[in-house]
């Protein structure tokens, strides 16, 4: 009865989860009448291989598919081992229970354990591990009650060993010795004597398995023994195989097959030798929708989206879908419904997208599906399978193709507009663009343009001629496109993201993955328990590809038995696995957390940080981590910025000193590498983080800040240097030749700044005494010589201040020290003004000096000429010019005296008389000389010899 | 449209230096013409003054005009020739002596450079207003 209820519960769940999927599949499967399916579930007796059955019995089709590849393996009947792999957990548990030889009456009372792992192991490993529950060890069972989660003592009491337990149970606490208090569900309390049980010396293995207490050996003795036994077994097998091969060299294949079947595990592996060249990933890649390992919801959504295209691609009409509420109402499981409403909001949104109306061309609203997720989850596989499943011919473009804009355009067009007419695969194309995040932005833009291409003359289509119509029709995208990317947030994808049906891949469920892995290992004759496979999943972050590749790798190395140790020790080749800087820093500064110990497994992840072996392992780990990260410089900066904020426990600061020494070493190394291009030294870089890890790693979670100090220091240096250079540039060369930047910065500036802030009375400089004036003059002289001045600046508050320009005050001001004495605003203003004035004066003086020199030379020249000229004849222009000069000098004289009366210049006649021609008067003389010379010059302007004619507009018109 | 400037040239020849061998003269080319004020003709009159600035730019001052020009090397140098003919006293003699006393040319000067003044002349203002 109970059992039936459980089964019913499973079905309930199933119906709830897969309702949509079933619906869609039913649509696809046209022959199948849609109404039958529910009843078929109920009957629980599948007659034929339908989808429903396939889903119910999980891996059956997979097995079938694999069987298709190797038909020999069909022949063995479904053995017990295979049965245990079917995804019917409840049933399996029952098997286990039966195997454990509990009485039939116990069956109902034992509630299934919360974690299947506990039971999976015994189930797989058979009687060896089932010992832990064997009846003769009932005392041990009692101790591990919590672990095994067996509720209710009554069951135990009913068990065949009840008698022995009853003997030790007492109603009162025993007077001597240890005891355990046990209360059953009825409220009866008994006291169990512990001492006596110990005398029984239970199987030590049980203790170790259940408690993991006595881990003196790194690898438990059982495992070692097992390994030795296995090795021996393998040797024997190899020997026998060699023999069989020798014998079978001439024997028919049927016989061989039979023999292989007889040899069991060995036969399987022998058969696989031929296939060893093939990657397991390919070999076991899912062939059908039902084989997919990825999240069901994602699969379903993508499939549904693809089905939306059916109308336009295949011309099928969409069936109106019954509302999900109807389906659910059949199963009035209130709790489940609540749960679904609470958690399915996002998925409901996605489904709403899928429910949305088709557009005018009967295409779905989103023309592109964009799958994103970390590598190895089967995105590409999913896309291929679903496209194939929906009846498309898959055309794939991936990163290895040329993806320049033109080629991309061409490929899109060929894929979406053409269709193979000849040949068997007369299916429409479905374009899959893999790793689109690596495509250039131009290519993505082309894709977008293709999506948005509109049939502009849609309205005229009915009236337009046929040829035009066909042409127009071709230009609209009528085929689905599926894009796949790892990183959804690449800038180039931004425009596409808005127009695409986004599907993010969640992590594969480890249990599902482990199950699949178990099947693979079984097929290849490898022994691996679920715990190991789970560890492998965890190690690869549920990366299907990495898991399978690792398995193959181990298999090819001849490891037939997989245990946790080998999984932990192997370095798994992962694709695209980069850890961010922050996580690297965190791992450097944090000790690895204690891993939870698995039952029966040797905890290998390090449980004692003091252990030397663990230390080396951590060292290796950090080295690997850092060298794979590669950003050494940034990493080092982060270490430098953060290591002092770690919790240091050395009062002598020895650790800090050591760390700084390491820093110096790393710096030298870096210099050596960069200066000498000696890159072979680069391999020593990762040792700095490793050393830091050993020096500073702590258990607590470190708070890590992004390193800014380097950048800040750099900008500050730059700023200072600029100020100093600006100052140095305009210092007069006489001074400049004696100072350099360093000497200015280290020796002069701090003193200079004191020098240029003397005590000055804040009064008008006119009122200064001569001494004060001299002081002011000296100050200004100094400032000019060092190219300093004050500049008025407006503070953000709106106040005006005078700051030194260039501002070298910051250069010699140490943080923490009190600021040096500042001059008052008025004094600074005064100094700034005076400096400016003095500067102008100096410039003027310098100019004058230069000019006077020039004029002197000019004068000399003129005089020389004059004498020369006078020897010959009087040059007329010279006379004239002299006259002009004299005249103007005369005329420009002030004519008014102090009282405003006109003054008759007395010198004027004298000047005119001194001129050469004397009586003629200046004006007459000049006129004669310049204006009335005998010869004059008439300038001929350019003459055009072109014919000029008046042309009116009306003639042109 | 093509405008073609016609230069009216006035040749003035200056003797630059006297020395052994033929003297070197300068050709002066003006855009414009020299006009005599009183229609007395140019002959014998002082035309103007020619100067050189420090940079070697020739400056010509004519009347109340000042002209700036430039010095150009002639593509084909000219030679100034003086013709010496057997002076013909009589016709017969001339006929007779034609053979033995042929006309000869002596190079009196070579002209290798010329000065071109083609910019618009600038006036020299003499009548300065008393008040600016």
């Amino acid at each position: 009865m109970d059992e039936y209820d459980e089964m019913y519960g499973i079905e309930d769940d199933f119906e709830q989860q897969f309702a949509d999927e079933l619906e869609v599949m039913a649509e696809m499967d046209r022959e199948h009448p849609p109404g039958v399916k529910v009843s078929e579930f109920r009957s629980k007796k599948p007659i034929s291989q339908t989808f429903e059955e396939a889903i119910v019995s999980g891996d059956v089709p997979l097995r079938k598919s694999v069987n298709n590849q190797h038909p020999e393996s069909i022949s063995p009947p479904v053995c017990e081992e295979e049965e245990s792999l079917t995804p019917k957990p409840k049933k399996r548990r029952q098997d286990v229970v039966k195997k454990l030889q509990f009485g039939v009456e116990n069956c109902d009372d034992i509630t299934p354990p919360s974690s299947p792992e506990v039971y999976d192991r015994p189930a797989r490993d058979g009687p060896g591990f089932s010992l832990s529950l064997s009846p003769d060890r009932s005392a041990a069972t009692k101790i591990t009650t919590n672990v095994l989660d067996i509720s209710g003592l009554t069951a135990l009491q009913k068990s065949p060993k009840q008698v022995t337990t009853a003997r030790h149970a007492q109603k009162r606490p025993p007077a001597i010795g240890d005891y355990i208090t046990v209360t059953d569900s009825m409220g009866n309390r008994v006291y169990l004597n512990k001492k006596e049980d110990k005398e029984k010396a239970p199987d030590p293995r049980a203790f170790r398995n259940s408690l993991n207490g006595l881990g003196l050996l790194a690898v438990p003795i059982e495992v070692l023994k097992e390994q030795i036994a296995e090795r021996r077994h393998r040797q024997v097998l190899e020997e026998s195989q060699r023999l069989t091969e020798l014998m079978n060299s001439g024997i028919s294949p049927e016989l061989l097959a039979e023999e292989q079947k007889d040899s069991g595990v060995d036969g399987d592996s022998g058969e696989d030798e031929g296939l060893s060249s093939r990657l397991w990933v390919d070999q076991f890649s899912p062939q059908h929708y039902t084989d997919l390992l990825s999240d069901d919801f994602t699969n379903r959504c993508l499939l549904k989206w693809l089905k939306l295209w059916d109308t336009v691609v295949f011309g099928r009409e969409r069936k109106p879908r019954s509302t999900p509420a109807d389906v659910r109402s059949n199963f009035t499981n209130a709790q489940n419904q609540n749960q679904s409403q609470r958690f399915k909001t996002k998925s409901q949104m996605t489904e709403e997208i899928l429910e949305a109306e088709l557009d005018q061309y009967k295409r779905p609203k989103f023309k592109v599906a964009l799958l994103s997720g970390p590598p190895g989850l089967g995105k590409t596989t999913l896309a291929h399978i679903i496209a194939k499943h929906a009846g498309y011919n898959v055309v794939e473009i991936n990163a290895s193709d040329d993806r320049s804009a033109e080629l991309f355009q061409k490929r899109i067009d060929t894929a979406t507009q053409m269709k193979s007419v000849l040949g068997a695969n007369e299916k429409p194309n479905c374009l899959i663009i893999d790793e689109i995040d690596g495509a250039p932005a131009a290519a993505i833009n082309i894709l977008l343009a293709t999506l948005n291409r509109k049939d502009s003359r849609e309205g005229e289509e009915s009236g337009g001629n046929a040829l035009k119509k066909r042409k127009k029709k071709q230009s609209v995208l009528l085929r689905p496109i599926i894009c796949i990317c790892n990183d959804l947030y690449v800038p180039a994808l931004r425009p596409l993201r808005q127009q695409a049906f986004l599907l993010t891949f969640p992590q594969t469920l480890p249990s599902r993955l482990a199950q699949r892995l178990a099947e693979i290992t079984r097929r290849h004759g490898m022994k691996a328990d679920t715990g190991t496979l789970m560890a492998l999943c965890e190690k690869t972050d549920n990366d299907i590809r990495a898991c399978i590749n690792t398995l193959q790798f181990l298999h090819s190395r001849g490891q037939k038995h997989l245990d946790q140790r080998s999984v932990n020790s192997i370095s798994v080749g992962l694709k695209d696995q980069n850890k961010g800087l922050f996580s690297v820093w965190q791992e450097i500064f944090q000790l690895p957390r204690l891993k939870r110990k698995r039952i029966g497994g040797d905890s290998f992840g390090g449980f004692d940080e003091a252990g030397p072996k663990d230390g080396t392992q951590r060292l290796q780990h950090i080295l690997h981590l850092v060298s794979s990260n590669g950003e050494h410089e940034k990493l080092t900066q982060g270490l430098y910025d953060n290591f002092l904020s770690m919790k240091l426990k050395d009062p002598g600061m020895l650790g800090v000193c050591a760390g700084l020494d390491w820093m110096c070493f790393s710096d030298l190394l870096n210099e050596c590498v960069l200066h000498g291009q000696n890159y072979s030294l680069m391999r020593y870089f990762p040792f700095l983080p490793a050393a830091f890890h050993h020096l500073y790693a702590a258990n607590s979670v470190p708070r890590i800040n992004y390193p800014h100090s380097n950048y800040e220091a750099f900008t500050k240096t730059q700023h200072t240097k600029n100020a100093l250079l600006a100052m140095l540039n305009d210092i007069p060369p006489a001074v400049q030749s004696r100072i350099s930047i360093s000497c200015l910065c280290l020796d002069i500036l701090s003193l200079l700044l004191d020098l240029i802030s003397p005590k000055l009375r804040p009064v008008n400089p006119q009122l200064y005494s001569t001494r004060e004036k001299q002081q002011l003059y000296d100050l200004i002289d100094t400032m000019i010589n060092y190219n300093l001045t004050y500049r008025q600046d407006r503070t953000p508050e709106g106040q005006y201040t005078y700051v030194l320009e260039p501002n070298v005050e910051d250069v010699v001001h140490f943080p923490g020290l009190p600021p040096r004495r500042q001059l008052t605003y008025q004094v600074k203003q005064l100094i700034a003004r005076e400096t400016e004035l003095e500067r102008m004066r100096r410039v003027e003086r310098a100019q004058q000096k230069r000019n006077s020199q020039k004029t002197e030379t000019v004068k000399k020249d003129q005089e020389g000429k004059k004498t020369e000229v006078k020897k010959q004849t009087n040059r007329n222009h010279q006379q004239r010019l002299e006259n002009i000069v004299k005249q103007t000098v005369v005329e420009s004289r002030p004519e008014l005296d102090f009282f405003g009366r006109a003054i008759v210049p007395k010198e004027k006649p004298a000047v005119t008389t001194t001129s050469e021609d004397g009586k003629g008067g200046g004006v007459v003389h000049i006129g004669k000389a310049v204006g009335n010379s005998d010869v004059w010059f008439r300038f001929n302007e350019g003459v055009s010899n072109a014919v000029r004619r008046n042309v009116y507009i009306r003639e042109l018109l | 449209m093509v405008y073609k400037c016609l230069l009216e040239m006035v040749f003035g020849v200056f003797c630059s230096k006297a020395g052994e061998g033929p003297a070197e003269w300068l050709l002066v080319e003006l855009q414009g013409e020299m006009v005599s004020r009183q229609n007395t003709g140019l002959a014998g009159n002082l035309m103007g003054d020619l100067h050189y600035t420090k940079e070697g730019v020739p400056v010509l001052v004519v009347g109340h005009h000042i002209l700036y020009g430039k010095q150009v090397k002639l593509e084909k140098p000219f030679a100034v020739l003086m013709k010496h003919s057997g002076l013909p006293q009589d016709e017969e003699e001339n006929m007779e002596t034609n053979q033995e006393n042929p006309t000869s040319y002596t190079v009196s000067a070579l002209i290798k450079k010329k000065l071109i003044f083609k910019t618009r002349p600038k006036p020299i203002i003499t009548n300065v207003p008393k008040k600016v």
Side-chain angles (χ1 to χ4, degrees):
Chain A
M1 188 60 210
D2 212 346
E3 181 190 338
Y4 178 74
D5 272 343
E6 271 180 17
M7 291 311 289
Y8 200 84
I10 294 169
E11 235 181 55
D12 237 351
D13 270 338
F14 169 77
E15 202 76 15
Q16 201 97 34
Q17 277 181 358
F18 295 90
D20 304 324
E21 197 168 1
L22 291 173
E23 179 94 17
V24 175
M25 289 212 216
E27 279 175 35
M28 287 182 279
D29 205 356
R30 275 158 144 197
E31 292 84 33
H32 199 285
V36 188
K37 59 184 181 226
V38 176
S39 62
E40 232 177 27
F41 286 136
R42 288 284 159 87
S43 69
K44 288 200 287 181
K45 299 285 178 194
I47 297 150
S48 63
Q49 283 273 11
T50 59
F51 281 122
E52 289 76 21
E53 187 214 323
I55 290 161
V56 169
S57 64
D59 58 344
V60 172
L62 179 90
R63 201 184 310 138
K64 197 183 78 187
S65 69
V66 180
N67 285 350
N68 287 342
Q69 290 166 5
H70 348 280
E72 306 96 305
S73 62
I74 297 179
S75 38
V78 181
C79 62
E80 196 183 284
E81 231 179 23
E82 273 180 351
E83 192 70 56
S84 70
L85 286 172
T86 53
K88 290 186 232 168
K90 300 283 155 83
K91 216 170 185 179
R92 189 173 65 206
R93 274 175 212 139
Q94 280 183 348
D95 288 345
V96 171
V97 169
K98 272 173 195 158
K99 226 188 283 172
L100 293 177
Q101 302 162 3
F102 275 95
V104 184
E105 69 274 15
N106 293 354
C107 240
D108 292 340
D109 290 333
I110 292 177
T111 52
S114 58
S115 60
E117 275 176 37
V118 180
Y119 274 95
D120 281 348
R121 276 187 69 85
R124 205 160 309 288
D125 286 341
F129 277 88
S130 69
L131 268 177
S132 59
L133 281 177
S134 63
D136 63 335
R137 271 183 53 262
S138 58
T141 319
K142 271 174 236 154
I143 291 165
T144 60
T145 303
N146 293 335
V147 182
L148 296 175
D149 199 13
I150 297 172
S151 71
L153 200 67
T154 48
L156 277 172
Q157 281 166 348
K158 274 181 203 168
S159 70
K161 282 293 160 187
Q162 191 205 4
V163 192
T164 54
T165 46
R167 209 173 53 192
H168 305 302
Q170 297 169 4
K171 291 281 181 185
R172 291 158 193 268
I176 41 167
D178 292 340
Y179 60 89
I180 292 173
T181 319
V182 179
T183 313
D184 70 354
S185 55
M186 309 292 282
N188 301 326
R189 175 164 293 184
V190 291
Y191 300 95
L192 302 176
N193 210 338
K194 215 173 167 186
K195 197 178 163 193
E196 260 187 311
D197 289 337
K198 269 190 181 166
E199 285 169 3
K200 284 193 106 177
D203 191 347
R205 244 192 283 185
F207 267 116
R208 201 158 294 139
N209 287 338
S210 52
L211 287 178
N212 276 318
L214 305 164
L216 291 179
L217 281 171
V219 182
I221 188 76
E222 302 92 325
V223 180
L224 288 178
K225 277 181 186 166
E226 224 171 309
Q227 279 176 351
I228 291 166
E230 212 236 341
R231 200 177 300 157
R232 206 169 290 157
H233 177 235
R234 209 187 301 148
Q235 278 175 356
V236 172
L237 280 181
E238 274 168 5
E239 199 67 23
S240 69
Q241 200 177 339
R242 208 150 45 82
L243 282 174
T244 47
E245 270 176 35
L246 271 174
M247 285 162 66
N248 290 341
S249 52
I251 305 173
S252 64
E254 287 99 78
L255 217 68
L256 188 77
E258 219 166 308
E259 220 165 35
Q260 275 173 347
K261 244 174 271 162
D262 288 346
S263 60
V265 173
D266 187 26
D268 252 32
S269 65
E271 164 200 301
D272 285 335
E273 304 294 351
L275 293 161
S276 61
S277 59
R278 243 181 114 190
L279 274 182
W280 286 7
V281 176
D282 298 332
Q283 198 179 332
F284 289 99
S285 71
Q287 303 296 320
H288 293 286
Y289 181 80
T290 44
D291 300 347
L292 287 169
L293 261 186
S294 45
D295 179 53
D296 287 331
F297 178 71
T298 317
N299 300 351
R300 220 177 321 136
C301 284
L302 187 64
L303 182 58
K304 260 194 210 170
W305 176 81
L306 207 57
K307 297 308 279 182
L308 288 180
W309 285 89
D310 275 3
T311 328
V312 65
V313 177
F314 297 104
R316 279 180 218 152
E317 271 307 307
R318 253 174 111 217
K319 272 178 226 153
R321 192 173 174 280
S322 61
T323 53
D326 278 356
V327 182
R328 269 177 208 148
S329 64
N330 294 342
F331 313 95
T332 48
N333 195 332
Q335 196 203 340
N336 272 354
Q337 210 161 21
N338 275 345
Q339 207 175 7
S340 68
Q341 268 176 4
R342 218 185 309 146
F343 291 115
K344 277 213 170 173
T345 44
K346 202 195 161 199
S347 50
Q348 272 168 354
M349 240 165 56
T350 317
E351 281 184 16
E352 266 172 36
I353 290 173
L354 290 174
E355 290 299 314
E357 281 297 299
L358 302 180
D359 68 356
Q360 50 179 340
Y361 308 107
K362 297 181 178 168
R363 300 180 297 180
K365 191 177 163 226
F366 293 104
K367 277 77 176 176
V368 172
L370 185 57
L371 304 181
S372 61
L377 293 188
K379 295 182 295 297
T380 313
T381 313
L382 172 69
H384 277 262
I385 295 282
I386 282 191
K388 238 180 268 169
H389 191 85
Y392 288 94
N393 178 31
V394 178
V395 179
E396 185 181 324
I397 302 177
N398 63 30
S400 56
D401 294 316
D402 186 6
R403 292 197 282 196
S404 63
E406 306 88 52
L407 264 166
F408 199 69
Q409 170 84 66
K410 208 172 129 197
R411 295 203 60 162
I412 287 181
D413 285 347
T414 48
T416 56
Q417 293 173 8
M418 299 181 191
K419 179 179 169 181
S420 60
V421 181
L422 302 169
N425 51 349
E426 222 176 303
K427 294 182 206 162
N429 289 332
C430 170
L431 183 62
I432 294 178
I433 304 173
D434 206 351
E435 292 168 48
I436 196 172
D437 43 357
I444 290 173
N445 284 338
I446 281 179
L447 177 63
L448 281 174
T450 315
L451 299 186
N452 295 330
R453 228 183 274 159
K454 281 267 187 309
D455 194 351
S456 54
R457 301 205 189 156
E458 222 255 328
E460 297 176 20
E461 220 173 335
S462 52
N465 56 6
L467 196 140
K468 202 180 212 170
K469 197 166 86 183
R470 203 192 309 151
K471 209 174 178 183
K472 279 290 158 197
K473 233 181 180 175
Q474 271 183 351
S475 67
V476 187
L477 178 76
L478 294 176
R479 294 286 178 268
I481 297 179
I482 301 173
C483 299
I484 299 166
C485 65
N486 281 341
D487 185 5
L488 188 56
Y489 299 99
V490 169
L493 285 182
R494 199 176 297 143
L496 185 66
R497 228 166 26 206
Q498 292 158 1
Q499 299 201 24
F501 172 61
L502 299 179
L503 269 179
T504 40
F505 258 64
Q507 292 279 355
T508 318
L509 289 178
S511 52
R512 274 180 92 160
L513 180 54
Q515 195 179 315
R516 179 64 60 90
L517 291 179
E519 182 154 351
I520 290 171
T521 49
R522 196 177 47 74
R523 293 228 154 266
H524 284 277
M526 289 173 81
K527 264 199 244 163
D529 51 22
T530 317
T532 311
L533 293 177
M534 292 292 266
L536 182 60
C537 297
E538 190 184 321
K539 180 148 187 166
T540 57
D541 286 335
N542 297 327
D543 184 333
I544 301 171
R545 177 168 41 201
C547 283
I548 298 180
N549 282 341
T550 310
L551 282 182
Q552 183 172 17
F553 176 62
L554 290 173
H555 181 258
S556 68
R557 280 209 311 200
Q559 282 194 12
K560 291 286 189 283
H561 181 84
L562 199 65
D563 56 358
Q564 209 137 4
R565 185 191 158 81
S566 58
V567 166
N568 278 327
S569 61
I570 196 167
S571 54
V572 181
L574 292 181
K575 188 187 166 194
D576 298 348
Q577 206 196 30
N578 276 351
K579 285 203 169 172
L581 276 171
F582 269 98
S583 60
V584 174
W585 284 325
Q586 181 141 359
E587 290 212 31
I588 288 169
F589 283 125
Q590 194 178 13
L591 288 170
R593 244 181 302 153
L594 290 163
K595 274 187 188 159
R596 268 188 296 109
K597 289 164 190 175
R598 301 204 179 282
I599 292 172
D602 50 336
S603 60
F604 202 71
F607 37 81
D608 192 1
E609 55 260 29
K613 194 185 103 196
D614 193 47
T616 56
Q617 213 169 41
R618 269 159 49 201
L619 176 76
Q620 290 298 333
H621 175 65
I622 296 287
L623 288 182
H624 175 72
L625 194 71
V626 171
S627 54
S628 71
N629 181 278
E631 278 182 89
H632 174 71
E633 204 124 309
K634 205 84 201 169
L635 200 67
T636 312
Q637 282 169 20
L639 293 180
Y640 175 72
D641 266 25
N642 286 305
F643 84 98
L644 284 180
S645 61
M646 296 302 123
K647 290 191 181 74
L648 302 170
K649 278 173 215 148
D650 52 340
M653 305 283 270
L654 294 174
V656 176
C657 288
L660 289 174
D661 279 348
W662 270 100
M663 281 283 177
C664 291
F665 166 69
S666 171
D667 203 30
L668 284 175
L669 208 60
N670 206 0
E671 188 186 344
C672 209
V673 167
L674 294 181
H675 276 248
Q677 265 83 41
N678 193 356
Y679 294 111
S680 60
L681 289 176
M682 273 176 84
R683 77 179 115 149
Y684 297 108
F685 281 152
F687 285 93
L688 170 76
F692 266 61
H693 178 70
H694 277 259
L695 283 171
Y696 306 121
N699 272 319
S700 56
V701 179
R703 272 199 306 137
I704 293 193
N705 298 316
Y706 197 78
H708 294 294
S709 62
N710 182 50
Y711 177 72
E712 277 164 13
F714 177 74
T715 47
K716 203 164 184 184
T717 316
Q718 209 67 14
H719 186 76
T720 310
K721 220 176 245 179
N722 283 343
L724 285 175
L725 272 180
M727 179 179 168
L728 208 56
N729 270 346
D730 283 343
I731 290 178
V735 184
Q736 201 180 349
S737 62
R738 282 172 182 77
I739 53 178
S740 63
I741 285 196
S742 63
C743 131
L744 188 69
C745 176
L746 296 175
D747 299 339
I748 299 173
L749 261 181
S750 57
L751 301 173
L752 184 68
L753 290 182
D754 279 336
L755 273 182
I756 61 166
S757 50
K759 278 183 180 142
L760 284 172
R761 278 195 297 157
V763 292
N764 193 329
Q766 303 287 344
L767 304 175
Y768 278 173
S769 64
T770 45
R771 218 179 118 256
E772 279 171 328
K773 271 185 184 164
Q774 184 58 38
Q775 199 182 7
L776 180 64
Y777 180 78
D778 286 346
L779 167 65
I780 285 164
D781 189 48
T782 312
M783 288 190 67
I784 287 178
N785 276 330
Y786 282 99
N787 186 34
L788 292 172
T789 182
Y790 285 106
R791 180 168 49 87
Q792 200 182 30
D793 226 7
R794 204 186 137 105
T795 57
E797 290 87 46
Q799 285 181 326
Y800 286 98
T801 53
Y802 274 95
V803 292
L804 208 58
E805 164 82 22
N807 197 352
V808 285
E809 266 172 3
D810 294 342
V811 175
V812 287
H813 180 250
F814 288 98
L817 291 183
R820 60 183 76 243
R821 197 173 61 83
Q822 289 280 336
L823 293 172
T824 57
Y825 181 82
Q826 282 82 8
V827 173
K828 279 185 179 176
Q829 190 175 23
L830 166 75
I831 292 172
R833 207 177 60 104
E834 289 295 322
T835 316
E836 197 65 24
L837 284 178
E838 180 61 26
R839 232 174 230 170
M840 280 160 71
R841 251 176 255 144
R842 285 190 183 191
V843 168
E844 206 169 336
R845 217 176 298 152
Q847 227 162 25
Q848 266 181 354
K849 212 181 266 174
R850 218 176 302 143
N851 278 1
S852 64
Q853 280 176 354
K854 228 182 214 170
T855 45
E856 267 176 32
T857 54
V858 168
K859 266 180 192 166
K860 270 180 194 168
D861 279 4
Q862 278 181 347
E863 269 162 29
K865 269 183 190 170
K866 241 183 199 169
T867 50
E868 196 186 281
V869 165
K870 272 182 181 164
K871 274 175 199 166
Q872 302 168 353
T873 53
N874 256 357
R875 291 191 172 175
N876 53 0
H877 80 279
Q878 207 155 0
Q879 308 163 6
R880 261 171 261 141
L881 286 178
E882 272 169 9
N883 280 323
I884 290 163
V885 168
K886 274 170 193 164
Q887 184 79 10
T888 49
V889 167
V890 170
E891 296 300 322
S892 64
R893 283 223 175 140
E895 289 177 317
L896 300 180
D897 69 355
F898 184 73
F899 302 102
R901 291 175 303 194
I903 294 172
V904 181
K906 289 181 177 173
E907 300 96 315
K908 197 180 171 183
V911 170
T912 45
T913 48
T914 51
S915 71
E916 287 173 29
D917 278 320
K919 317 283 184 191
V923 180
V924 178
H925 184 79
I926 289 167
K928 168 77 179 137
V930 180
N932 299 336
S933 63
D934 294 330
V935 179
W936 63 288
F937 180 68
R938 192 168 68 199
F939 183 70
N940 284 342
E941 296 182 34
V943 180
S944 163
N945 63 348
V947 181
R948 200 177 272 183
R949 214 178 123 219
N950 286 339
V951 179
Y952 297 99
I953 293 291
R954 63 168 177 271
E955 289 168 30
L956 296 172
L957 287 175
Chain B
M1 201 168 276
V2 180
Y3 289 98
K4 204 167 186 181
C5 293
L6 298 182
L7 290 179
E8 184 170 335
M9 292 187 241
V10 173
F11 296 106
V13 178
F14 294 85
C15 177
S16 66
K17 68 183 168 196
E20 57 272 13
E24 191 169 336
W25 289 4
L26 276 174
L27 205 61
V28 177
E29 191 178 316
L30 298 169
Q31 178 160 2
E33 53 189 313
M34 305 305 299
V35 182
S36 113
R37 194 175 296 274
Q38 273 93 32
N39 278 331
T40 50
L42 293 170
N45 275 333
L46 178 73
M47 176 185 159
D49 297 328
L50 179 67
H51 301 280
Y52 285 90
T53 62
K54 265 187 194 167
E55 288 82 23
V57 178
V59 180
L60 183 65
V61 181
V62 182
H64 63 284
H65 284 132
I66 182 164
L67 291 91
Y68 295 89
K70 63 180 178 188
Q71 183 170 306
V72 173
K73 202 179 167 193
L74 285 172
E75 284 172 26
K76 281 181 181 172
F78 294 109
V80 182
L81 299 182
M82 192 85 82
K83 185 178 179 185
H84 300 286
S85 57
L87 288 175
Q89 264 96 33
D90 328 309
E91 293 301 306
E92 319 95 305
E93 227 180 62
N94 192 20
M95 292 295 283
E96 282 172 5
T97 56
N98 214 8
Q99 260 82 34
E100 54 186 21
N101 203 12
T103 53
S104 64
Y105 299 90
T106 54
V107 178
S108 61
L110 291 175
I111 305 176
K112 290 178 181 171
K113 294 172 192 165
K114 71 174 175 183
L115 305 176
I116 302 177
F117 297 92
K118 59 181 180 185
T119 54
R120 181 178 292 278
K122 292 179 175 156
I124 300 170
I125 297 169
T126 56
N127 188 18
V128 182
K130 286 181 182 174
K131 285 180 185 172
V132 182

